[in-house]
Amino acid sequence: MSRIISGKELSIKLKAEMASQVATFPEKYGRVPHLVVILVGEDPASQSYVRGKAKASEVVGIRNTTILKPADISEKELLDLIDSLNNDPSVDGILVQLPLPDHISEDKVIAAISKDKDVDGFHPLNVAALWQKQPCTVPCTPKGIIRMLDEAGVEIKGKRAVVIGRSQIVGLPVAKLLLDRNATVTICHSRTVDLPSVTRSAEILVVAIGRPRFVTADMVSPGTVVIDVGVNRDPETGKLCGDVDYQAVEPLASVITPVPGGVGPMTITCLMENTIELFLRHMQEA
Ligand code: GUN
């Protein structure tokens, strides 16, 4: 078992498996899964994520349509576009890259995507289904984190897990998935009183807070499994860095995910998996 979990390597393996699965679809179903990604504006980070999604689709053999819209698109125009994709039977998955410009309500946009085409698992009905332990689309990053833990042979059951971050996209759903696997979970945040004493109690520590090198060595007990969800720019070097001070924490951790090359690639891989799942559901319903 490697101490450093490479999400990149695991992604390559999983994508190759999906590619052989997708290769059987034209004969079985007459077409391959189709993912539509909408990017509003020209934020460089979002552009890079969207490119990553298109590239992964190509590797897996999924049809990808990326729709670029100007930052000043009206909310109505975006909602109308989503509506037309909801009604297009050739589309299996719809993803609107976040964040959106201030004049567009992200909540409205997320709720406008048909629950059955919501590859992100962000729709309120998907969120509700996850918390009610009903069949749902599991959000990509939390799903990828659980996959990495399983791949690394980390036992989740019975462990004390601490999640720093309470976002709808990562913190809350990953806490729920850990709870469902019978970990005992504490959800905390940057303003948690005496945060280091809480994080030191963790056997599994998931950090999704979006602050460069927020988790320092004094916050981590020896032997902890450390999952770093952060993608930040180092304020000094401008390079990509995580929420964890990797240099200082890596020697303490029993298992750790690097940034880049850890959780990030797994998010995109799970997006591919979700697209295939939605496609198969559509084919079974058709
Ligand atoms: N922006 C950053 N991460 C994500 C994601 O997982 N999905 C979407 N739609 N936007 C994002």
Side-chain angles (χ1 to χ4, degrees):
M1 183 177 101
S2 172
R3 279 196 351 95
I4 299 167
I5 321 179
S6 169
K8 200 173 158 188
E9 270 174 41
L10 178 56
S11 285
I12 290 170
K13 185 180 96 176
L14 293 173
K15 281 187 286 191
E17 286 169 10
M18 284 189 271
S20 7
Q21 187 192 6
V22 170
T24 68
F25 289 167
E27 196 178 322
K28 275 191 205 157
Y29 305 108
R31 66 174 181 89
V32 295
H34 183 194
L35 170 66
V36 175
V37 176
I38 302 172
L39 172 62
V40 177
E42 293 177 1
D43 173 62
S46 292
Q47 284 175 329
S48 149
Y49 290 137
V50 165
R51 273 198 302 273
K53 288 165 188 177
K55 204 169 150 211
S57 301
E58 201 181 310
V59 171
V60 174
I62 285 175
R63 178 178 164 204
N64 178 290
T65 304
T66 301
I67 301 177
L68 304 174
K69 289 290 174 187
D72 64 356
I73 184 177
S74 72
E75 185 181 85
K76 173 157 190 323
E77 209 181 322
L78 182 57
L79 293 174
D80 287 348
L81 171 61
I82 291 168
D83 195 47
S84 71
L85 295 168
N86 283 340
N87 291 313
D88 181 342
S90 78
V91 174
D92 301 293
I94 304 168
L95 181 151
V96 179
Q97 187 66 30
L98 303 177
L100 288 168
D102 290 343
H103 69 279
I104 301 176
S105 156
E106 287 188 356
D107 287 346
K108 263 196 210 169
V109 166
I110 288 168
I113 297 170
S114 158
K115 171 186 169 284
D116 302 323
K117 297 193 178 185
D118 170 33
V119 266
D120 268 324
F122 293 169
H123 190 284
L125 291 173
N126 260 319
V127 176
L130 178 76
W131 286 87
Q132 292 173 344
K133 276 205 199 175
Q134 282 166 8
C136 64
T137 298
V138 178
C140 306
T141 301
K143 191 177 190 177
I145 291 170
I146 301 294
R147 274 287 146 70
M148 291 175 90
L149 291 171
D150 287 340
E151 179 72 16
V154 173
E155 169 104 83
I156 300 173
K157 183 178 164 188
K159 292 285 171 60
R160 282 188 305 274
V162 171
V163 177
I164 316 180
R166 47 185 162 170
S167 73
Q168 297 288 350
I169 294 183
V170 183
L172 295 180
V174 79
K176 169 65 175 152
L177 295 181
L178 289 164
L179 196 59
D180 287 347
R181 293 284 297 268
N182 296 317
T184 298
V185 184
T186 303
I187 305 173
C188 49
H189 46 86
S190 62
R191 278 168 286 179
T192 294
V193 174
D194 198 7
L195 183 59
S197 76
V198 179
T199 56
R200 278 197 299 268
S201 74
E203 294 167 286
I204 299 171
L205 178 62
V206 180
V207 195
I209 196 167
R211 295 203 194 174
R213 290 196 235 106
F214 180 81
V215 171
T216 44
D218 60 302
M219 295 169 74
V220 180
S221 292
T224 306
V225 173
V226 180
I227 306 292
D228 188 350
V229 187
V231 182
N232 313 295
R233 288 275 158 205
D234 187 310
E236 283 153 31
T237 64
K239 282 191 188 152
L240 223 50
C241 76
D243 290 351
V244 173
D245 183 346
Y246 189 85
Q247 299 268 80
V249 170
E250 187 270 330
L252 291 167
S254 62
V255 171
I256 190 164
T257 61
V259 178
V263 176
M266 287 301 293
T267 296
I268 295 190
T269 297
C270 288
L271 176 69
M272 298 297 109
E273 205 178 273
N274 283 354
T275 308
I276 294 172
E277 275 176 27
L278 291 180
F279 166 80
L280 289 173
R281 222 185 286 161
H282 294 158
M283 291 300 126
Q284 274 143 24
E285 281 162 8

